[in-house]
Amino acid sequence: MIQLLFLVLFAEGVVALLLMVKIGPLRELAMRAVDQVKTGKGPATVKTLACTLSVILMSSVTSILKIQNRGLKLGTVSPMDQVLWRTHLLEASLIGFTLFLAFVIDRLHHYLRKLITLRKTGSTSREEVEKLQMENRSLREKEEKTSSEIKKLQQENAKLNEKMKKLKSETEEHERKASTAEAHVNALQKQSEELLLEYDRLLEDNQILQAQLLSRG
């Protein structure tokens, strides 16, 4: 029993050391080993072993106390009791250290797994931050490009407004000239009508004069 406890204690010490100190890939192997122990039927088996060792520890402590009480009553301790007392003390010490190291390994594994998760989360968050920064930079570039395009459109709009004003003024000038020309045409038409009337009157006078001349001749 004591040799088995020494072997278990040594194995736990090695696992605890590998979990505390990173030695190449050995920590990862130790983490995988503890993961396997904590999966499937492992937890139930570990709890059963822990309960068994606790019962043995309590039994050893009880035996130590009985031997001490018997020695106090008799005033001396026999060689057999001394051997039993030392054996139970060694056994209780080994079981206590075994349970303590098992608890330490469990806590180390828990916090290391938590640390790995936090690092992965931090790495993911860092990647998301970098992605957001890239998107922000892209949005800024698009915004600058859009702003330059808006300025260009505004300039083109200003040029078009100037052309429209110029065309409007030219149109008004053409309309004014057209109105003047129309008035002039109307005046010419009126003058032409008057001339036609005057021509008709002159023709009529001419015919009258010719008639008078014929009548006299």
Side-chain angles (χ1 to χ4, degrees):
M1 179 68 180
I2 292 176
Q3 293 178 351
L4 181 60
L5 288 173
F6 269 117
L7 182 61
V8 173
L9 191 62
F10 176 76
E12 287 181 342
V14 171
V15 174
L17 179 64
L18 292 176
L19 291 176
M20 287 187 292
V21 181
K22 187 174 182 179
I23 305 174
L26 296 179
R27 175 183 282 181
E28 186 65 25
L29 292 175
M31 291 289 292
R32 290 180 182 177
V34 178
D35 285 335
Q36 289 181 356
V37 171
K38 287 187 175 183
T39 55
K41 296 182 180 180
T45 305
V46 171
K47 289 178 181 179
T48 302
L49 290 174
C51 291
T52 304
L53 290 175
S54 299
V55 171
I56 296 173
L57 176 62
M58 295 301 297
S59 175
S60 298
V61 172
T62 303
S63 299
I64 291 171
L65 293 176
K66 285 181 180 180
I67 292 171
Q68 286 181 346
N69 290 331
R70 187 164 56 248
L72 290 174
K73 289 179 181 179
L74 297 176
T76 181
V77 179
S78 64
M80 181 60 69
D81 287 339
Q82 289 181 0
V83 173
L84 290 175
W85 184 84
R86 291 174 182 173
T87 302
H88 288 305
L89 181 62
L90 179 60
E91 191 176 74
S93 300
L94 291 174
I95 292 173
F97 281 121
T98 300
L99 293 174
F100 176 74
L101 277 179
F103 175 76
V104 170
I105 289 171
D106 178 69
R107 291 297 86 194
L108 282 173
H109 176 267
H110 173 72
Y111 289 121
L112 284 173
R113 184 59 63 191
K114 200 170 184 180
L115 179 62
I116 292 171
T117 303
L118 288 174
R119 284 180 178 175
K120 289 181 180 179
T121 305
S123 178
T124 304
S125 300
R126 193 179 300 110
E127 290 177 357
E128 290 179 355
V129 169
E130 291 177 354
K131 185 177 179 181
L132 289 174
Q133 288 178 348
M134 291 177 65
E135 290 179 355
N136 189 17
R137 193 179 300 110
S138 177
L139 287 174
R140 286 181 180 177
E141 291 177 355
K142 289 181 180 178
E143 184 178 357
E144 291 176 355
K145 186 177 180 181
T146 304
S147 179
S148 63
E149 290 179 354
I150 289 173
K151 289 180 180 178
K152 187 177 179 181
L153 289 174
Q154 287 177 348
Q155 291 176 356
E156 291 179 356
N157 191 20
K159 290 180 180 179
L160 289 174
N161 288 330
E162 291 178 358
K163 288 182 180 179
M164 287 179 66
K165 289 180 180 178
K166 187 177 179 180
L167 289 173
K168 186 177 180 181
S169 62
E170 290 178 355
T171 302
E172 290 176 352
E173 181 68 20
H174 290 160
E175 288 178 353
R176 186 180 62 79
K177 288 181 179 180
S179 298
T180 304
E182 186 178 359
H184 184 65
V185 168
N186 291 330
L188 290 174
Q189 286 180 350
K190 186 176 180 181
Q191 188 176 2
S192 176
E193 290 175 356
E194 291 177 353
L195 290 173
L196 286 174
L197 290 173
E198 184 66 21
Y199 178 73
D200 291 336
R201 188 181 64 79
L202 291 173
L203 283 176
E204 186 178 354
D205 290 341
N206 187 21
Q207 289 176 358
I208 292 171
L209 289 173
Q210 286 181 356
Q212 288 178 357
L213 289 173
L214 289 174
S215 64
R216 286 179 183 180

